[in-house]
Amino acid sequence: MKISEKIIEKHGITKSEYKRIITLVGRELNLLELGIFSAMWNEHCSYKSSKKYLKTLPTKNNKVIQGPGENAGVVDIEDNDALVFKIESHNHPSFIEPYQGAATGVGGILRDIFTMGARPIALLNSIHFGDPNHPKTKNLLSGVVSGIGGYGNCMGIPTIGGEVKFNSSYNENILVNAMAVGLTKKNKIFYSKANGVNQPVIYVGSKTGRDGIHGASMASAEFDDNVDNKKPTVQVGDPFAEKLLLEACLELMKDDSIISIQDMGAAGLTSSSVEMASKGNLGIEINLDKIPCREKKMTPYEMMLSESQERMLLILKSGKEDDAKKIFSKWGLDFSIIGKTTNTNHLVLNFKNIEVANLPLSSLSKDAPVYDRKWKKKLPSKKIDAPKNFQTKDISECLVKILSSPNNAEKSWVWEQYDSTVMGDTIQKPGGDSGVVRVHGKNKGIALTIDSSAHYCLADPIIGGKQVVCETWRNLVAVGSKPIAITNCLNFGNPEKEEIMGQFVETIDGISQACSYLDFPVVSGNVSFYNETKKNSIYPTPTIGGVGLIKNLNYTMNKNLKEIDSNILIIGKTSGHLFQSEFFREVLNFKEGSPPAVNLFNEKNNGLSILNLISKNLVNSVHDISSGGILVALVEMCISGKIGAKVKIPKRDINHFEFLFGEDQSRYIIEVNEKNMKEVDKLLKENSVYYEKIGKTQKDSLDIDNICKMKLNSLGEIINKWFKSYYKE
Amino acid sequence: MKISITITLKDDVLDPQGKVVNQTLKNMGYRSIENVRQGKYFEINLNEKDEKKAKKISEEICEKLLTNTVIENYSISYK
Amino acid sequence: MKSSVIVFPGSNCDRDVAVALQKFKIENKMVWHEETTLPKSDIVVLPGGFSYGDYLRTGCIASKSKIVSEIIKHANKGGLILGICNGFQILIESGLLPGSLLRNKKLRFLSKNVFLKVVNIKNSFCSDFKNKDIIELPIAHNEGNYFASNDLIKKLEDNNSIAFKYSDKDGNISIESNPNGSSNNIAGILNEKKNILGMMPHPERLIDPILSGEDGSMLFSSLLKN
């Protein structure tokens, strides 16, 4: 049967791509083979639009054990311990079915971690929704949150950080980005690269059903008369099965029977088998009759493209099959020898004694297309005048307005649905600058954060890209950890549009500049394009997940004010940048202008100085200053520490609004006891760090220079109000 | 009028709960069990005598609220 | 002192509670649910988690495990049993403790620290709370809303079978301090003979000052007084 142009198009393959395939393979394809190409050559697997730019990111330093290209990145955290981590998006499935979409997103990223031999120890997430008043938002938010919780809680892995943001650009394209972090030993890392001919290929985990068979498969009834049966079904997550798979895999990994291992994620059996074999420069032969199937009469096409969850592909050392099988049987999981490695450099599939596909592996992986898409530079915004007359506003009213907005409100309604204390090693729960978990059985800790600043990136992608990396760095520093590396999830619109591609290219430029300067490499990540509906694209949203090491947990830090009558210092210079600030956006509804500039020297210098102060036990509390400026940061410190503050605004060339709400970068608020002031002053001056003492802590209330006086109790109620009233609790 | 609504997962949609119940029943010795799928059941009293209208209302509430039509089917019976 | 922690498929606080027991020098063994004999133990612990994915009813499928009949024998001989969170749910499903645990009143998972009033300190699990009977522990559950008939609640109260009640930081027991809708703010109960304790909060998660508190320690230290 010759494949019609319509079917090729429905598989998302362009005419010129199909021509290229014919040249590579040397003949026409059958439908199964077309499906395989469609899975391997799509944007998600091939990174065809992004590859050129991803290559420019810094990915190495002396801490990096494994950079991008594996299931997850790995960094050295000393004492033979290694940290494995990655972030991934599950945006579209979460919009279709929020609970299952988010749940399987968490499941997928966890498999990426334990595939590499690491026991997952923490989860984080960044979720973006449309306008809260949009009719879909309420259900999407509650569905996603309970889906994330449902999966992570059942797996028994603490969710220790994240962010929740709202903006109308996400009305029809929500973002669900999940990050997972695992711990292993440096000499116990497992990779996906196959090695050796004639080694058994093993399928383990749950059975294969018709879950999430990609859109193309239901393209037409030409495939089958039974149209209803062809509909792609939503992937349903089974966290219980995954918990068993986790324990079984880790049990098997105790000895050395695994040659390589790869989870079956997007494009399931197709991408896992292709990746393992092509990385090892081998061939692979699979007998599809051996695939454990959940439904009757599943076709090779369905088996190869199913995205059923909780499955893994292993290549074992020949002779280890029986021992391995015992482990998987004990955990009640399927175990099936489905094929072997070969020296043909081809993917060969057999079904009912007939060869149903035979493709050169290079055509699926290294010869997949790479595009140099056209892109347009974002022109710097014209000189814009700030809105007039805002200086007559009442500071307290402005503060209340910011604190009661959905983006700035306290998120405990969300955090409380995630188990944050299971595993018994959680030092800092969600809500601080970074989450902190202890390395089990040791006195060292891992700090983790996840950040995005989409409206900065929209206004200026280069600055935005830099800023979001710096904010991640700062959040790690604020808890006393030495930042190590990041993982990034790049969420954008349609890259075939020059303007969108421009956002992507320039954001990467910004990320790259900041990462290089801060020696903060990118070790894993994911690109999600085509987040747009009816030509409305989302804001460019790079999400950055950062990890840091706390060598001695006795010197970790949080943002809670600790004592009355200590000094409050602002580290870093406040010049009062209000464009793109929460104050302009939430209070004045003014959205023009450029984001605050990022000075990488100051970022690094201020950060390292903060780490120095924390390591010498000279500060009581530290908080990074980000959206909302000094005032919002101070309120957060007061509420979490249940201690007030009395502030005197320094007499300089900026007005009160600029001082209190400006979002200049590289700044922190620190709390210092009087007895330590001399030493702190000396260390900061030695390192040329600009700082201002703005006041003292006090009991129960916040008092800003007599222009804003509020009780902590009422501030706490205001910041907690939004979610409760949204869900009428 | 009394209406009963049964909601089940669509064929082909994985039912983790059904799977575990199935396995447990087998372990308890019920060897003849072949397959278990779980669902939800609602009984609703409707103050409506016209059967056509009742049908319309029932279908509407299934579509709009009771069923997650992405993964579930429903069936309605009237008494 | 010897303990056994039972591991069901889907248990996920088994390691945490084993760490806590070992910290208090209790000699612990992990016991897989398919075992048919129980190692010699002074106390059996059913850990938290999602045994069998919480499918059908929480704790229900685990209560059909082979090892459960051995646990019941252990209980009948007066041996100690502690069920935490999912372990409490399993104790209820296996009939070792009365009542039932419904979904939280707000119908969502709740993970947060709560205050508890220790109502009965005269038992093997709680004697060390005598000097501090208002404590803070984390809860993390979806189905922790303890429900029982009025008669049963009265019986529990009369027999001093309630071990913990949700309270505020001053020990006041009120609707405001009830996180999940439990009858009479019940967070943990004992059987009549007081050798079985089931509780929703997680003492094993707060046994170290570095983890923002160590109120859970007193439960494990109490065990050593037996």
Side-chain angles (χ1 to χ4, degrees):
Chain A
M1 179 181 89
K2 187 166 156 56
I3 289 174
S4 73
E5 280 184 15
K6 195 175 139 212
I7 294 184
I8 294 169
E9 192 193 322
K10 291 248 158 116
H11 278 75
I13 288 176
T14 65
K15 278 183 191 161
S16 65
E17 285 176 345
Y18 191 68
K19 254 191 192 159
R20 185 186 167 113
I21 292 173
I22 301 292
T23 318
L24 289 168
V25 179
R27 60 171 168 82
E28 292 280 336
L29 303 183
N30 62 34
L31 187 62
L32 167 62
E33 292 170 332
L34 180 70
I36 291 172
F37 267 100
S38 123
M40 292 309 297
W41 279 29
N42 75 13
E43 192 64 57
H44 187 88
C45 279
S46 71
Y47 291 92
K48 59 190 169 190
S49 303
S50 56
K51 211 173 216 169
K52 176 175 175 199
Y53 300 97
L54 295 177
K55 279 186 189 158
T56 65
L57 291 167
T59 58
K60 289 188 184 112
N61 70 9
N62 60 354
K63 299 278 178 209
V64 177
I65 296 173
Q66 175 64 51
E70 266 293 336
N71 284 298
V74 187
V75 294
D76 186 342
I77 53 163
E78 304 174 16
D79 317 311
N80 199 31
D81 293 323
L83 204 61
V84 179
F85 64 101
K86 192 184 182 196
I87 188 169
E88 204 158 83
S89 62
H90 224 215
N91 303 338
H92 190 62
S94 302
F95 184 74
I96 304 285
E97 213 309 294
Y99 184 96
Q100 294 299 344
T104 51
V106 173
I109 194 67
L110 285 171
R111 279 195 303 284
D112 281 332
I113 302 308
F114 67 81
T115 303
M116 299 205 67
R119 180 173 284 282
I121 57 168
L123 282 164
L124 298 95
N125 59 76
S126 163
I127 50 183
H128 288 70
F129 297 90
D131 186 327
N133 295 317
H134 186 276
K136 288 180 181 156
T137 301
K138 195 176 276 183
N139 283 338
L140 287 169
L141 171 63
S142 60
V144 164
V145 169
S146 57
I148 290 174
Y151 211 102
N153 298 345
C154 184
M155 288 290 289
I157 295 149
T159 298
I160 62 156
E163 51 166 21
V164 186
K165 292 190 174 170
F166 301 88
N167 175 285
S168 58
S169 80
Y170 307 105
N171 278 355
E172 303 284 335
N173 289 278
I174 61 170
L175 300 184
V176 175
N177 295 174
M179 170 174 168
V181 184
L183 188 66
T184 187
K185 293 288 168 199
K186 264 165 79 177
N187 56 350
K188 270 286 179 189
I189 302 170
F190 291 82
Y191 296 98
S192 57
K193 182 184 163 187
N195 193 8
V197 173
N198 265 328
Q199 303 301 317
V201 176
I202 320 278
Y203 169 121
V204 296
S206 297
K207 289 184 176 17
T208 298
R210 296 192 174 98
D211 314 54
I213 293 176
H214 69 159
S217 71
M218 48 117 184
S220 69
E222 292 166 44
F223 302 161
D224 197 286
D225 294 325
N226 192 347
V227 183
D228 221 28
N229 262 346
K230 284 291 172 194
K231 278 192 182 155
T233 47
V234 170
Q235 301 143 262
V236 171
D238 182 354
F240 171 59
E242 178 131 316
K243 169 74 174 161
L244 305 181
L245 186 60
L246 162 72
E247 298 302 336
C249 285
L250 292 182
E251 197 172 323
L252 179 62
M253 284 163 168
K254 280 182 189 157
D255 71 17
D256 60 349
S257 50
I258 296 178
I259 295 173
S260 72
I261 173 165
Q262 168 82 33
D263 93 289
M264 291 191 228
L269 189 52
T270 295
S271 72
S272 52
S273 55
V274 169
E275 277 178 36
M276 291 173 93
S278 42
K279 275 182 189 162
N281 202 18
L282 292 168
I284 189 164
E285 201 178 298
I286 295 174
N287 179 359
L288 294 172
D289 299 298
K290 301 282 185 194
I291 305 292
C293 288
R294 201 170 78 220
E295 317 293 343
K296 284 180 187 137
K297 291 191 187 161
M298 284 194 53
T299 64
Y301 185 95
E302 290 167 335
M303 290 180 209
M304 288 307 289
L305 296 176
S306 161
E307 295 194 346
S308 287
Q309 301 287 299
E310 295 95 24
R311 304 178 299 161
M312 293 269 192
L313 202 59
L314 317 174
I315 296 174
L316 289 184
K317 282 182 191 160
S318 174
K320 298 280 188 179
E321 296 91 327
D322 288 348
D323 290 344
K325 188 174 182 171
K326 264 184 214 145
I327 294 176
F328 286 88
S329 306
K330 170 187 158 194
W331 291 98
L333 295 165
D334 272 292
F335 177 101
S336 177
I337 303 170
I338 62 165
K340 60 178 190 208
T341 54
T342 64
N343 58 6
T344 62
N345 292 95
H346 273 236
L347 169 73
V348 177
L349 305 176
N350 298 306
F351 185 58
K352 297 189 171 160
N353 295 322
I354 297 170
E355 183 179 288
V356 288
N358 188 337
L359 295 170
L361 281 160
S362 56
S363 67
L364 293 167
S365 53
K366 81 174 187 355
D367 292 333
V370 175
Y371 291 126
D372 185 0
R373 297 212 187 267
K374 286 196 177 136
W375 62 279
K376 213 176 1 194
K377 204 167 167 45
K378 168 102 185 176
L379 297 171
S381 30
K382 282 171 272 169
K383 179 107 177 74
I384 291 170
D385 291 326
K388 293 198 173 71
N389 299 332
F390 64 78
Q391 292 195 44
T392 54
K393 287 199 172 283
D394 179 72
I395 297 265
S396 306
E397 281 172 24
C398 297
L399 175 64
V400 168
K401 189 142 193 204
I402 293 175
L403 297 181
S404 46
S405 69
N407 280 318
N408 296 289
E410 219 254 341
K411 307 289 191 297
S412 53
W413 184 89
V414 175
W415 309 138
E416 282 178 10
Q417 300 191 51
Y418 308 147
D419 190 339
S420 53
T421 52
V422 62
M423 296 185 95
D425 285 316
T426 302
I427 309 285
Q428 275 203 52
K429 295 187 206 177
D433 287 323
S434 292
V436 178
V437 288
R438 175 170 60 183
V439 174
H440 191 68
K442 295 187 180 169
N443 193 40
K444 66 179 182 182
I446 306 297
L448 303 162
T449 179
I450 195 166
D451 299 282
S452 64
S453 318
H455 61 274
Y456 286 178
C457 293
L458 181 75
D460 187 320
I462 299 184
I463 296 182
K466 271 196 239 180
Q467 190 276 341
V468 64
V469 172
C470 289
E471 175 150 6
T472 304
W473 204 77
R474 213 178 304 142
N475 279 329
L476 294 173
V477 165
V479 299
S481 80
K482 174 100 179 47
I484 308 174
I486 63 168
T487 177
N488 60 10
C489 192
L490 307 167
N491 307 278
F492 289 80
N494 180 352
E496 293 159 44
K497 289 185 186 166
E498 294 179 21
E499 185 199 334
I500 302 289
M501 195 60 204
Q503 291 173 345
F504 181 77
V505 172
E506 296 199 293
T507 304
I508 294 247
D509 182 10
I511 292 174
S512 190
Q513 287 183 39
C515 287
S516 302
Y517 191 89
L518 298 171
D519 190 22
F520 198 30
V522 182
V523 300
S524 58
N526 158 243
V527 180
S528 170
F529 279 130
Y530 300 99
N531 291 290
E532 62 179 76
T533 300
K534 293 177 211 139
K535 301 196 172 145
N536 292 320
S537 169
I538 58 160
Y539 280 12
T541 315
T543 305
I544 306 289
V547 306
L549 174 65
I550 302 167
K551 279 192 192 177
N552 180 345
L553 275 176
N554 301 340
Y555 298 96
T556 181
M557 191 41 62
N558 60 34
K559 70 177 198 299
N560 314 346
L561 291 178
K562 305 283 186 312
E563 279 174 35
I564 288 168
D565 239 9
S566 47
N567 298 291
I568 301 168
L569 272 57
I570 306 293
I571 302 295
K573 176 108 186 202
T574 303
S575 45
H577 187 99
L578 284 176
F579 290 107
Q580 295 300 335
S581 68
E582 289 303 302
F583 174 66
F584 270 16
R585 294 169 63 84
E586 292 290 346
V587 181
L588 306 179
N589 197 23
F590 183 86
K591 294 177 177 157
E592 309 294 313
S594 10
V598 175
N599 178 319
L600 293 170
F601 172 82
N602 287 343
E603 191 66 60
K604 191 169 189 174
N605 192 38
N606 295 357
L608 294 179
S609 305
I610 292 282
L611 284 181
N612 192 15
L613 296 181
I614 295 172
S615 72
K616 293 195 157 66
N617 222 357
L618 293 169
V619 285
N620 294 345
S621 57
V622 175
H623 191 17
D624 101 294
I625 299 174
S626 60
S627 65
I630 290 176
L631 189 50
V632 169
L634 187 58
V635 166
E636 289 168 351
M637 294 176 82
C638 290
I639 291 174
S640 55
K642 300 189 178 77
I643 284 178
K646 190 173 169 63
V647 170
K648 186 111 185 88
I649 298 176
K651 292 217 170 359
R652 289 202 280 112
D653 51 347
I654 57 176
N655 66 47
H656 291 171
F657 292 84
E658 290 168 331
F659 183 78
L660 294 172
F661 295 117
E663 296 189 2
D664 310 288
Q665 296 296 298
S666 321
R667 294 181 302 156
Y668 302 80
I669 302 183
I670 63 173
E671 179 197 0
V672 181
N673 276 350
E674 190 58 41
K675 68 173 168 45
N676 291 327
M677 270 307 286
K678 240 188 186 166
E679 178 89 26
V680 168
D681 175 75
K682 184 175 145 254
L683 287 171
L684 292 176
K685 282 190 177 141
E686 268 173 18
N687 291 304
S688 322
V689 173
Y690 184 92
Y691 84 90
E692 284 172 311
K693 184 178 145 188
I694 62 161
K696 292 222 163 204
T697 55
Q698 63 176 17
K699 254 180 110 175
D700 299 336
S701 67
L702 179 68
D703 178 353
I704 310 285
D705 231 347
N706 293 320
I707 52 174
C708 166
K709 276 189 178 175
M710 294 183 85
K711 288 268 175 225
L712 287 194
N713 285 348
S714 63
L715 281 168
E717 275 169 30
I718 292 161
I719 204 166
N720 270 305
K721 197 176 63 186
W722 190 83
F723 276 90
K724 281 183 184 149
S725 64
Y726 190 56
Y727 283 103
K728 300 194 175 67
E729 280 191 354
Chain B
M1 185 184 293
K2 200 172 187 180
I3 57 172
S4 319
I5 298 171
T6 307
I7 295 176
T8 50
L9 282 171
K10 289 181 178 170
D11 295 353
D12 288 359
V13 171
L14 173 68
D15 177 9
Q17 185 154 218
K19 190 172 103 183
V20 164
V21 172
N22 184 7
Q23 193 53 48
T24 308
L25 289 170
K26 279 182 187 153
N27 294 347
M28 289 166 77
Y30 299 98
R31 304 269 165 219
S32 52
I33 299 233
E34 269 186 8
N35 197 15
V36 178
R37 307 270 294 168
Q38 57 94 35
K40 293 190 193 102
Y41 175 74
F42 296 86
E43 279 180 348
I44 297 172
N45 286 324
L46 203 60
N47 186 7
E48 178 60 73
K49 296 208 170 79
D50 184 337
E51 245 186 69
K52 260 191 183 162
K53 278 188 190 161
K55 186 165 184 273
K56 187 166 173 281
I57 294 170
S58 316
E59 282 173 2
E60 241 177 69
I61 60 174
C62 282
E63 292 281 339
K64 285 189 179 163
L65 181 71
L66 301 182
T67 315
N68 177 353
T69 53
V70 182
I71 53 174
E72 293 169 332
N73 288 325
Y74 59 88
S75 67
I76 307 168
S77 70
Y78 306 86
K79 271 176 218 162
Chain C
M1 187 170 205
K2 287 193 166 80
S3 62
S4 291
V5 171
I6 313 297
V7 184
F8 301 96
S11 293
N12 63 30
C13 304
D14 42 337
R15 183 194 77 176
D16 306 356
V17 78
V19 167
L21 291 161
Q22 279 148 11
K23 187 176 173 184
F24 288 86
K25 311 283 182 247
I26 298 170
E27 205 180 303
N28 183 54
K29 280 213 171 84
M30 304 305 264
V31 179
W32 184 238
H33 71 113
E34 285 183 322
E35 300 288 329
T36 46
T37 56
L38 201 57
K40 191 174 157 14
S41 334
D42 303 291
I43 177 166
V44 170
V45 182
L46 306 184
F50 286 70
S51 58
Y52 295 94
D54 265 2
Y55 299 143
L56 197 58
R57 288 187 310 278
T58 55
C60 142
I61 293 179
S63 73
K64 310 286 178 233
S65 302
K66 286 180 186 157
I67 194 71
V68 170
S69 51
E70 292 304 302
I71 295 173
I72 293 173
K73 278 184 208 156
H74 169 82
N76 291 341
K77 282 188 280 183
L80 297 178
I81 300 179
L82 168 63
I84 301 167
C85 201
N86 188 229
F88 184 13
Q89 294 162 342
I90 297 169
L91 287 174
I92 284 192
E93 281 287 343
S94 38
L96 286 167
L97 287 174
S100 63
L101 287 158
L102 310 181
R103 274 190 81 184
N104 297 341
K105 200 175 164 197
K106 285 179 184 165
L107 299 181
R108 52 180 171 89
F109 192 92
L110 266 180
S111 160
K112 61 194 254 187
N113 278 15
V114 294
F115 288 98
L116 300 168
K117 170 99 181 151
V118 189
V119 188
N120 177 345
I121 53 165
K122 288 178 186 158
N123 62 70
S124 306
F125 306 92
C126 300
S127 59
D128 274 359
F129 291 112
K130 61 182 182 292
N131 300 321
K132 187 183 185 191
D133 65 354
I134 301 163
I135 58 169
E136 190 180 354
L137 289 180
I139 52 168
H141 58 247
N142 211 4
E143 278 98 356
N145 175 359
Y146 186 79
F147 175 82
S149 66
N150 291 338
D151 290 350
L152 178 56
I153 296 282
K154 187 172 180 304
K155 201 172 139 197
L156 292 171
E157 294 275 7
D158 292 349
N159 287 347
N160 255 328
S161 291
I162 298 169
F164 304 101
K165 285 187 177 183
Y166 299 108
S167 74
D168 64 15
K169 67 178 179 1
D170 303 314
N172 300 310
I173 293 154
S174 64
I175 291 178
E176 289 73 44
S177 63
N178 186 338
N180 56 17
S182 288
S183 311
N184 287 25
N185 283 37
I186 288 173
I189 57 168
L190 298 148
N191 64 340
E192 263 182 58
K193 277 159 62 188
K194 313 284 187 283
N195 61 327
I196 304 176
L197 169 66
M199 63 192 294
M200 289 314 295
H202 288 274
E204 80 282 13
R205 294 191 191 177
L206 277 189
I207 52 164
D208 197 331
I210 206 165
L211 305 171
S212 77
E214 48 182 340
D215 285 353
S217 302
M218 289 175 273
L219 188 139
F220 297 98
S221 63
S222 301
L223 292 173
L224 293 171
K225 309 268 158 75
N226 289 292

